[in-house]
Amino acid sequence: MTHDRQSVYADKPAANERLTVRIKGWLNGLFNREKTKGTRQQEETPKAQKVRRVWAVDTGEGNRFSYEGAASLKGKVRISNGTNNELIIGKNSIFSGSINVTGSGNLVEIGENCNFRGRIVVKGNKQTVRFGDNSSSVGTYILCQEGCDVIIGKWCMLSRDIEIRTTDAHSVIERSTGRRLNNPGSVEIGDHVWVGVGALISKGAKIPRDCIVAARSFVNLEFEEEGVVLAGLPAKIVKRGITWHRERRPHFHPADLCHWET
């Protein structure tokens, strides 16, 4: 079965930026559009926002991509051979990267007031990837597979070259029994967690709220204690009784340290 290729262009914003959305195939509920072939459609928008350039490919039925109120979209969204998937990018959020979903009944949600740069890959059915409100990522790769979820809380700050995955993608096998040793597991990152550059958050990891993951660390365990620094290969608690703030100051008032809890 072949699909028509369409381009939808909106009026230029005041800053001479162009809203460009390219669609191949049918993304149900994404746009109200006429089916055309080899032509371009002009649509008037009363309030043009920041530049949006998304290449979206969908080969299934009942899939939804919602981005109403998003501040900026740039990259690629692809749904392969799946149905009833839902992709949400929240209000005032910036997205730059790619989302690739293979399977059915999955949910990928970027919350409100987020700035996400990176790549999200979902393979399988009925899985969830959630990136919480007011969180940011400079460069993160998320692999969600084998019936697991990736949940990232609100007010998180993820640096660059970070990898979060629910699976090793291949099997490690005990030769004497034939039993797989590296089983998959969901990943949970609590609210207000700072993940340093180059960290790897592996299958089954749990990071409580208000923690710091040091640069180049490998987290593969469930931790329960809040307000700690996790560091090392594999990561362990190296400091307790801490919190963090995006700004750099010599001193912080107690009220500054709990703004994210309101």
XYZ file of all heavy atoms in Angstrom, residues 138-187:
386
model
N 19.953 17.948 27.147
C 20.824 18.481 26.097
C 21.063 17.434 25.020
O 21.176 17.761 23.838
C 22.158 18.961 26.702
C 23.103 19.460 25.604
C 21.908 20.067 27.711
N 21.118 16.166 25.404
C 21.315 15.100 24.428
C 21.165 13.740 25.071
O 22.096 13.238 25.715
N 19.987 13.132 24.924
C 19.678 11.869 25.599
C 19.119 10.853 24.614
O 18.271 11.182 23.786
C 18.657 12.093 26.730
O 19.197 13.009 27.687
C 18.319 10.785 27.435
N 19.607 9.626 24.712
C 19.063 8.506 23.931
C 18.286 7.604 24.890
O 18.827 7.137 25.894
C 20.191 7.718 23.269
C 19.754 6.403 22.658
C 18.915 6.376 21.549
C 20.180 5.184 23.195
C 18.511 5.171 20.981
C 19.786 3.981 22.629
C 18.957 3.979 21.533
O 18.550 2.784 20.974
N 17.010 7.384 24.574
C 16.147 6.530 25.391
C 15.722 5.318 24.569
O 15.130 5.482 23.489
C 14.907 7.292 25.883
C 15.314 8.471 26.775
C 13.964 6.366 26.639
C 14.156 9.359 27.188
N 16.007 4.127 25.065
C 15.559 2.887 24.434
C 14.597 2.191 25.383
O 14.972 1.773 26.481
C 16.743 1.967 24.123
C 16.377 0.572 23.605
C 15.597 0.661 22.284
C 17.616 -0.296 23.430
N 13.348 2.058 24.959
C 12.294 1.436 25.753
C 11.830 0.184 25.012
O 11.252 0.284 23.925
C 11.153 2.425 25.955
S 9.806 1.814 26.975
N 12.046 -0.972 25.609
C 11.799 -2.228 24.907
C 11.495 -3.338 25.912
O 11.657 -3.175 27.123
C 13.035 -2.589 24.067
C 12.811 -3.638 23.003
C 14.043 -3.819 22.111
O 15.087 -3.230 22.352
N 13.922 -4.627 21.076
N 11.004 -4.454 25.428
C 10.736 -5.667 26.200
C 9.692 -5.448 27.296
O 9.826 -5.934 28.426
C 12.036 -6.231 26.797
C 13.026 -6.691 25.739
C 14.061 -7.635 26.301
O 13.706 -8.801 26.600
O 15.214 -7.203 26.458
N 8.626 -4.703 26.965
C 7.508 -4.566 27.877
C 7.777 -3.706 29.096
O 7.084 -3.845 30.117
N 8.745 -2.807 29.019
C 9.122 -1.973 30.155
C 8.809 -0.500 29.890
O 8.469 -0.116 28.772
C 10.613 -2.140 30.454
S 11.074 -3.841 30.894
N 8.954 0.326 30.924
C 8.670 1.754 30.827
C 9.890 2.566 31.228
O 10.757 2.091 31.980
C 7.503 2.139 31.752
C 6.225 1.375 31.452
O 5.932 1.159 30.263
O 5.527 0.992 32.410
N 9.916 3.813 30.759
C 10.911 4.790 31.201
C 10.149 6.007 31.705
O 9.465 6.677 30.933
C 11.870 5.191 30.073
C 12.807 6.316 30.546
C 12.690 3.993 29.600
N 10.256 6.281 32.997
C 9.543 7.395 33.616
C 10.572 8.367 34.194
O 11.343 8.004 35.093
C 8.599 6.918 34.735
C 7.663 5.813 34.216
C 7.823 8.102 35.296
C 6.743 6.251 33.100
N 10.573 9.587 33.678
C 11.476 10.638 34.140
C 10.622 11.730 34.762
O 9.669 12.213 34.150
C 12.326 11.187 32.982
C 13.158 10.049 32.374
C 13.217 12.335 33.454
C 13.860 10.421 31.083
N 10.947 12.129 35.963
C 10.111 13.038 36.726
C 10.157 14.481 36.266
O 10.758 14.825 35.238
N 9.548 15.346 37.061
C 9.495 16.778 36.785
C 10.770 17.465 37.276
O 11.456 16.974 38.166
C 8.282 17.401 37.470
C 6.947 16.786 37.051
C 5.793 17.399 37.837
C 4.467 16.771 37.443
N 3.331 17.336 38.215
N 11.077 18.609 36.673
C 12.195 19.461 37.089
C 13.541 18.750 37.008
O 14.472 19.079 37.752
C 11.968 19.996 38.510
C 10.766 20.860 38.669
C 9.549 20.504 39.165
C 10.647 22.250 38.318
N 8.680 21.574 39.161
C 9.341 22.669 38.644
C 11.529 23.196 37.782
C 8.884 23.963 38.432
C 11.085 24.489 37.571
C 9.781 24.863 37.897
N 13.667 17.789 36.114
C 14.943 17.099 35.951
C 15.836 17.852 34.959
O 15.355 18.585 34.097
C 14.725 15.670 35.469
S 13.997 14.584 36.711
N 17.137 17.645 35.073
C 18.107 18.267 34.179
C 19.092 17.203 33.709
O 19.897 16.693 34.491
C 18.846 19.414 34.882
C 19.822 20.149 33.988
S 20.525 21.636 34.778
C 21.525 20.889 36.069
N 18.998 16.854 32.428
C 19.853 15.832 31.846
C 20.856 16.499 30.908
O 20.477 17.289 30.045
C 19.026 14.809 31.077
C 18.316 13.713 31.883
C 17.317 14.297 32.865
C 17.610 12.734 30.944
N 22.103 16.172 31.074
C 23.162 16.754 30.267
C 23.233 16.064 28.895
O 22.239 15.535 28.410
C 24.487 16.652 31.022
O 25.526 17.294 30.323
N 24.398 16.052 28.276
C 24.572 15.475 26.946
C 25.169 14.071 27.036
O 25.715 13.662 28.054
C 25.463 16.365 26.086
C 26.828 16.628 26.675
C 27.645 17.584 25.827
N 28.863 17.990 26.523
C 29.978 17.291 26.544
N 30.047 16.115 25.918
N 31.043 17.731 27.192
N 25.037 13.335 25.930
C 25.616 11.987 25.797
C 25.119 11.037 26.881
O 25.864 10.181 27.373
C 27.150 12.047 25.826
C 27.719 12.887 24.705
O 27.109 12.897 23.613
O 28.756 13.541 24.905
N 23.855 11.181 27.237
C 23.246 10.315 28.243
C 22.468 9.196 27.557
O 21.820 9.425 26.533
C 22.322 11.133 29.165
C 23.159 12.082 30.029
C 21.464 10.238 30.039
C 22.349 13.083 30.785
N 22.523 8.004 28.120
C 21.782 6.867 27.574
C 20.935 6.262 28.680
O 21.424 5.986 29.780
C 22.735 5.828 26.996
C 22.045 4.776 26.158
C 22.997 4.082 25.189
O 23.911 4.744 24.662
O 22.799 2.866 24.978
N 19.642 6.067 28.371
C 18.704 5.450 29.303
C 18.063 4.286 28.572
O 17.454 4.477 27.512
C 17.637 6.455 29.763
C 18.292 7.666 30.453
C 16.626 5.797 30.693
C 17.326 8.793 30.753
N 18.144 3.084 29.132
C 17.655 1.917 28.394
C 17.098 0.869 29.341
O 17.603 0.663 30.433
C 18.762 1.341 27.513
C 20.048 1.003 28.203
C 21.170 0.738 27.199
N 20.787 -0.272 26.243
C 21.136 -0.231 24.952
N 21.839 0.754 24.477
N 20.767 -1.205 24.131
N 16.046 0.190 28.864
C 15.402 -0.862 29.657
C 15.925 -2.252 29.311
O 15.492 -3.239 29.911
C 13.880 -0.854 29.436
O 13.603 -1.177 28.063
C 13.299 0.509 29.760
N 16.832 -2.321 28.372
C 17.318 -3.617 27.888
C 18.742 -3.489 27.370
O 19.165 -2.408 26.953
C 16.414 -4.147 26.762
O 16.979 -5.346 26.207
C 16.276 -3.128 25.648
N 19.468 -4.607 27.390
C 20.792 -4.647 26.769
C 20.695 -4.907 25.270
O 21.714 -4.893 24.573
C 21.646 -5.744 27.410
C 22.011 -5.416 28.851
O 22.081 -4.222 29.183
O 22.222 -6.353 29.647
N 19.474 -5.197 24.804
C 19.195 -5.453 23.379
C 19.657 -6.828 22.912
O 19.225 -7.296 21.851
C 19.791 -4.367 22.493
N 20.508 -7.490 23.664
C 20.943 -8.850 23.348
C 21.001 -9.650 24.646
O 20.934 -9.079 25.736
C 22.310 -8.843 22.661
C 22.370 -7.963 21.452
N 21.776 -8.298 20.253
C 22.920 -6.738 21.276
C 21.976 -7.323 19.380
N 22.656 -6.359 19.973
N 21.146 -10.942 24.534
C 21.080 -11.808 25.714
C 22.462 -12.252 26.186
O 23.337 -12.588 25.386
C 20.243 -13.054 25.410
O 18.908 -12.705 25.147
N 22.620 -12.260 27.511
C 23.745 -12.922 28.163
C 23.196 -14.212 28.765
O 22.236 -14.183 29.537
C 24.361 -12.033 29.266
C 25.483 -12.783 29.985
C 24.872 -10.727 28.684
N 23.785 -15.348 28.413
C 23.193 -16.653 28.712
C 24.146 -17.489 29.559
O 25.348 -17.562 29.281
C 22.862 -17.402 27.404
C 21.979 -16.526 26.505
C 22.194 -18.736 27.693
C 21.963 -16.952 25.072
N 23.602 -18.094 30.594
C 24.365 -19.061 31.384
C 24.459 -20.364 30.597
O 23.448 -21.019 30.326
C 23.669 -19.286 32.725
C 24.451 -20.156 33.681
C 23.754 -20.247 35.029
O 22.567 -20.657 35.043
O 24.376 -19.920 36.043
N 25.660 -20.710 30.234
C 25.848 -21.839 29.319
C 25.325 -23.161 29.886
O 24.722 -23.970 29.170
C 27.334 -21.977 28.959
C 27.615 -23.052 27.918
C 29.075 -23.068 27.536
N 29.427 -21.905 26.728
C 29.251 -21.841 25.404
N 28.707 -22.866 24.775
N 29.611 -20.776 24.746
N 25.492 -23.395 31.192
C 25.125 -24.695 31.767
C 23.615 -24.917 31.805
O 23.139 -26.051 31.760
C 25.694 -24.827 33.182
O 25.167 -23.808 34.014
N 22.839 -23.830 31.901
C 21.385 -23.964 32.021
C 20.621 -23.396 30.824
O 19.428 -23.674 30.662
C 20.889 -23.228 33.279
O 21.149 -21.829 33.137
C 21.589 -23.764 34.523
N 21.293 -22.579 30.014
C 20.605 -21.909 28.910
C 19.739 -20.750 29.356
O 18.965 -20.189 28.575
N 19.861 -20.355 30.634
C 19.027 -19.297 31.189
C 19.596 -17.916 30.868
O 20.790 -17.681 30.988
C 18.916 -19.476 32.701
C 18.072 -18.440 33.417
C 17.892 -18.836 34.872
N 19.170 -18.898 35.562
C 19.709 -17.879 36.251
N 19.066 -16.724 36.321
N 20.866 -18.033 36.871
N 18.704 -17.021 30.480
C 19.120 -15.641 30.232
C 19.410 -14.951 31.565
O 18.623 -15.035 32.507
C 18.040 -14.877 29.478
C 18.425 -13.441 29.137
C 17.292 -12.698 28.490
N 17.664 -11.316 28.195
C 16.813 -10.398 27.727
N 15.555 -10.712 27.515
N 17.245 -9.181 27.490
N 20.508 -14.238 31.636
C 20.930 -13.594 32.866
C 20.602 -12.104 32.917
O 20.403 -11.554 34.002
C 22.438 -13.792 33.067
C 22.917 -15.244 33.140
C 24.433 -15.281 33.268
C 22.253 -15.964 34.301
N 20.584 -11.441 31.783
C 20.398 -9.982 31.756
C 18.960 -9.620 31.401
O 18.672 -9.136 30.310
C 21.387 -9.326 30.788
C 21.245 -9.827 29.360
O 20.768 -10.943 29.117
N 21.643 -9.000 28.415
N 18.059 -9.845 32.337
C 16.647 -9.564 32.099
C 16.392 -8.060 32.005
O 17.098 -7.258 32.628
C 15.804 -10.168 33.216
C 15.862 -11.683 33.221
O 15.750 -12.317 32.185
N 16.053 -12.275 34.400
N 15.345 -7.657 31.263
C 15.027 -6.237 31.125
C 14.396 -5.692 32.401
O 14.022 -6.452 33.304
C 14.022 -6.223 29.973
C 13.338 -7.549 30.069
C 14.405 -8.513 30.504
N 14.261 -4.375 32.473
C 13.615 -3.756 33.627
C 13.286 -2.310 33.349
O 13.998 -1.623 32.612
N 12.197 -1.836 33.924
C 11.804 -0.435 33.756
C 12.798 0.483 34.463
O 13.471 0.088 35.419
C 10.393 -0.205 34.308
O 9.433 -0.926 33.562
N 12.858 1.727 33.997
C 13.736 2.742 34.581
C 12.865 3.853 35.142
O 11.957 4.348 34.468
C 14.712 3.306 33.540
C 15.491 4.483 34.118
C 15.663 2.215 33.052
